[in-house]
Amino acid sequence: MENKANQYIETNRALAVRSSHQPILHFTPSLGWMNDPNGLIFFKGEYHLFYQYHPYQTKWHQMYWGHAVSHDLITWQELPIALAPSEVYEDSTEGGCFSGTAIVHEGTLYLFYTAVAKNAAGQLVQKQCVAMSEDGRLFSKYENNPILQNDSLGKENPHFRDPKVWQKDHTFYMLVGVSQDNVGKLVLYRSENLLEWTLMGVAFEEPNAWMLECPDFYELDGKDVLTFSPVGIKGEYSSYLIGRLDYEKGRFQVESRGILDYGVDFYAPQTFLTPEGERYVIGWQNGWEWMYEWNGFGELTENSWCGAMSIPRKVIRKGDRLHALLPKEISQLKAAETVIYDTQTDGYQKSVSTIQKPTLIELSLEAGETPITLVFKDKRTGQTDTFTIEEHLLYHSEGNPLGRKDITLPLSSRSKTLKILLDLYAIEVFDEDEGTVLSVNSFFEGALARDFSFSCSEKGRLKQVVVTELNGKQLIKRSVKG
Ligand code: FRU
């Protein structure tokens, strides 16, 4: 099955030669549909990015695991498909190989994923499975899959998915998202050998969400961090908890809670641990139809692909908060020409640039009462995206049939530098003083040019705007040679 799909990709890749709608710095598959990042891991000298993938259509359908590798988290090489839905326990066209994680044990790479197929009664059910690889290229599924058939109540469950596996001392732990009586929970298991698992209990539950998807768990600067994507809480699509996992009771003791990204186009985040011990988070740079602010996946008909990953962001902990920062590699991509606008003029209003290449906009702010307005205008259609900076940053889209509904990013009086990374339709706004981020897609209608203008009537409030074009060399290698 992998072979058939890989052959199909090779043959059809020519048709897919870089669509002009394709972001440059953000990883996208060259063909087909992509959603969640899966199994992010550093193994044998490379970062491995797996992802939810369907090769044959640009919309969600039976799931495979796509695969790409990188040395710097910015430049990616596509590889052949890692997992295809080849077995009876994952063979439904509405199922396949769903999200999961990776772990290295004694030199072997283990991928944990959710297999989705219909049971005898014709109901789609979800079970946990594992595949192994010695070289990070070829993967074999474990012969005794599935390793977890029933949920924590001993029942087959249509919403029992997205295993996260890690090691603590000599024991392995697994968190799986589950929906029971319309409540989203994360169930904890324990194992000595990665293949046989014992139920410990419910580590966390969220009564306001009917399902918790794609958990991640890691230690950061002396605390435990648990992240997940809740289904059912308006405006909250990537939550984090800081606290302590009680490994005896199997319960996560929450000390604080926050949101990894305030936008609507950042979902199912997972992290890499670098060899130096740093954490980088990647989310799927899109959202699902059920999200309130969402309004489309883009111009699918013009593209042979759909879906992008966010820029990998460095995650650090500051007290009871997580901060997400632009990776330093971005500044190494700065092209020679940097335009600096001194805006210390009353009522400044200027159209400064046509954004056609990946661009970084850096704003230096002074505290003040007067709003600052940033406008991106599609040259052809006149559609506008406006960011208004007051107490909050408010995103508003006008005249775009695929535009998102209003989204807000909290700012504080400490907010002095805002950075906006633009890569075709993908917009990521970083408040590096607050550590908060807002991701939003602004799809173009056709013409790939927009004007950026800004205005503020209070002298000195907007100290400086730096617009830097980034080296948009082809950063994703499109050969699938393993
Ligand atoms: C999250 C999700 C996961 C699931 C996958 C299927 O976006 O719904 O819970 O495993 O997508 O593609």
Side-chain angles (χ1 to χ4, degrees):
M1 230 181 157
E2 283 98 338
N3 289 345
K4 191 173 153 232
N6 285 324
Q7 238 164 40
Y8 172 86
I9 297 170
E10 268 308 305
T11 316
N12 289 278
R13 190 180 299 277
L15 301 173
V17 189
R18 269 214 96 73
S19 136
S20 53
H21 283 73
Q22 209 152 358
I24 290 172
L25 301 180
H26 291 69
F27 177 80
T28 61
S30 52
L31 204 68
W33 163 273
M34 178 179 80
N35 54 289
D36 315 350
N38 296 151
L40 308 190
I41 196 139
F42 187 79
F43 177 63
K44 298 209 161 148
E46 297 168 313
Y47 292 103
H48 292 256
L49 164 68
F50 301 92
Y51 46 89
Q52 288 290 279
Y53 184 51
H54 183 75
Y56 302 111
Q57 294 177 38
T58 53
K59 58 181 192 209
W60 191 94
H61 200 63
Q62 192 183 42
M63 281 289 110
Y64 294 61
W65 274 38
H67 189 190
V69 285
S70 173
H71 289 285
D72 57 5
L73 295 178
I74 299 287
T75 316
W76 295 96
Q77 160 91 57
E78 268 186 329
L79 291 180
I81 281 169
L83 301 177
S86 54
E87 310 299 316
V88 278
Y89 49 75
E90 58 203 14
D91 68 357
S92 165
T93 51
E94 299 146 70
C97 304
F98 276 23
S99 287
T101 51
I103 185 170
V104 178
H105 178 54
E106 292 177 348
T108 300
L109 177 60
Y110 290 74
L111 302 184
F112 287 84
Y113 67 99
T114 301
V116 188
K118 286 192 173 152
N119 63 9
Q123 189 196 24
L124 278 175
V125 288
Q126 306 193 329
K127 303 181 176 199
Q128 314 320 317
C129 287
V130 60
M132 293 91 160
S133 173
E134 300 304 322
D135 62 358
R137 294 294 187 269
L138 291 176
F139 296 84
S140 357
K141 289 176 186 156
Y142 177 48
E143 59 203 18
N144 292 329
N145 272 344
I147 49 169
L148 278 180
Q149 306 247 17
N150 295 320
D151 73 2
S152 52
L153 298 176
K155 295 185 183 145
E156 285 192 327
N157 193 319
H159 298 291
F160 176 46
R161 59 177 175 268
D162 309 338
K164 164 69 196 178
V165 176
W166 74 98
Q167 184 175 5
K168 171 87 175 164
D169 302 326
H170 297 294
T171 306
F172 299 101
Y173 295 88
M174 182 196 288
L175 277 172
V176 187
V178 67
S179 181
Q180 287 164 347
D181 297 328
N182 240 8
V183 172
K185 303 178 185 174
L186 297 173
V187 188
L188 186 65
Y189 297 84
R190 185 176 57 207
S191 169
E192 302 305 320
N193 61 7
L194 286 169
L195 301 172
E196 292 141 320
W197 293 87
T198 310
L199 175 67
M200 292 181 71
V202 175
F204 178 73
E205 62 186 77
E206 168 55 75
N208 296 317
W210 70 263
M211 176 65 188
L212 302 181
E213 298 190 312
C214 300
D216 193 7
F217 178 90
Y218 46 93
E219 285 179 23
L220 194 61
D221 207 7
K223 296 271 182 189
D224 293 330
V225 175
L226 175 56
T227 72
F228 52 86
S229 285
V231 184
I233 306 179
K234 182 172 173 282
E236 186 171 335
Y237 307 117
S238 57
S239 318
Y240 70 78
L241 308 174
I242 299 178
R244 174 82 49 216
L245 178 62
D246 183 332
Y247 281 92
E248 293 301 311
K249 298 199 177 96
R251 192 87 199 151
F252 193 90
Q253 292 158 349
V254 183
E255 291 168 20
S256 60
R257 180 168 176 160
I259 296 179
L260 274 169
D261 189 303
Y262 285 82
V264 67
D265 291 302
F266 183 84
Y267 196 70
Q270 292 287 309
T271 52
F272 278 112
L273 179 63
T274 71
E276 293 76 36
E278 295 182 325
R279 282 274 159 197
Y280 281 84
V281 65
I282 295 187
W284 172 39
Q285 185 86 358
N286 216 316
W288 290 115
E289 297 90 329
W290 52 262
M291 294 175 182
Y292 170 78
E293 302 86 347
W294 184 91
N295 207 17
F297 285 118
E299 293 290 307
L300 298 189
T301 46
E302 288 192 21
N303 294 334
S304 50
W305 58 277
C306 183
M309 290 301 170
S310 73
I311 278 295
R313 302 157 183 183
K314 187 169 173 189
V315 192
I316 55 170
R317 184 172 71 77
K318 285 202 178 168
D320 61 358
R321 304 256 319 270
L322 291 188
H323 284 219
L325 308 171
L326 257 182
K328 56 182 182 314
E329 285 73 17
I330 290 294
S331 45
Q332 289 154 18
L333 297 172
K334 284 185 178 176
E337 199 193 359
T338 300
V339 190
I340 300 178
Y341 290 92
D342 176 3
T343 60
Q344 300 215 15
T345 327
D346 276 330
Y348 207 94
Q349 170 129 26
K350 186 161 169 54
S351 174
V352 296
S353 179
T354 299
I355 313 290
Q356 281 180 295
K357 303 224 168 121
T359 301
L360 183 65
I361 299 174
E362 294 163 281
L363 308 170
S364 307
L365 315 175
E366 277 300 331
E369 304 288 304
T370 324
I372 299 170
T373 313
L374 315 173
V375 179
F376 297 94
K377 187 168 182 182
D378 188 315
K379 263 184 165 342
R380 196 172 69 93
T381 61
Q383 294 166 14
T384 53
D385 293 309
T386 309
F387 290 92
T388 311
I389 304 168
E390 292 188 88
E391 227 171 280
H392 294 89
L393 176 102
L394 178 73
Y395 169 80
H396 175 75
S397 169
E398 199 74 56
N400 183 349
L402 297 168
R404 272 65 176 117
K405 302 201 184 88
D406 294 3
I407 304 172
T408 303
L409 176 73
L411 303 175
S412 81
S413 52
R414 295 187 300 125
S415 302
K416 295 248 177 303
T417 318
L418 284 187
K419 294 186 181 171
I420 305 179
L421 182 65
L422 276 167
D423 188 1
L424 274 296
Y425 65 77
I427 305 178
E428 286 159 289
V429 185
F430 291 79
D431 174 348
E432 292 212 322
D433 304 297
E434 272 296 278
T436 50
V437 192
L438 181 153
S439 297
V440 62
N441 289 335
S442 165
F443 295 107
F444 287 87
E445 266 260 303
L448 291 172
R450 35 186 162 181
D451 277 336
F452 167 55
S453 63
F454 55 84
S455 60
C456 178
S457 61
E458 186 180 331
K459 192 171 160 70
R461 167 106 165 93
L462 182 57
K463 276 188 16 196
Q464 188 174 279
V465 180
V466 181
V467 181
T468 311
E469 218 168 72
L470 301 176
N471 263 321
K473 278 190 244 121
Q474 184 122 346
L475 289 175
I476 297 159
K477 299 202 185 84
R478 297 291 174 191
S479 84
V480 284
K481 303 265 150 41

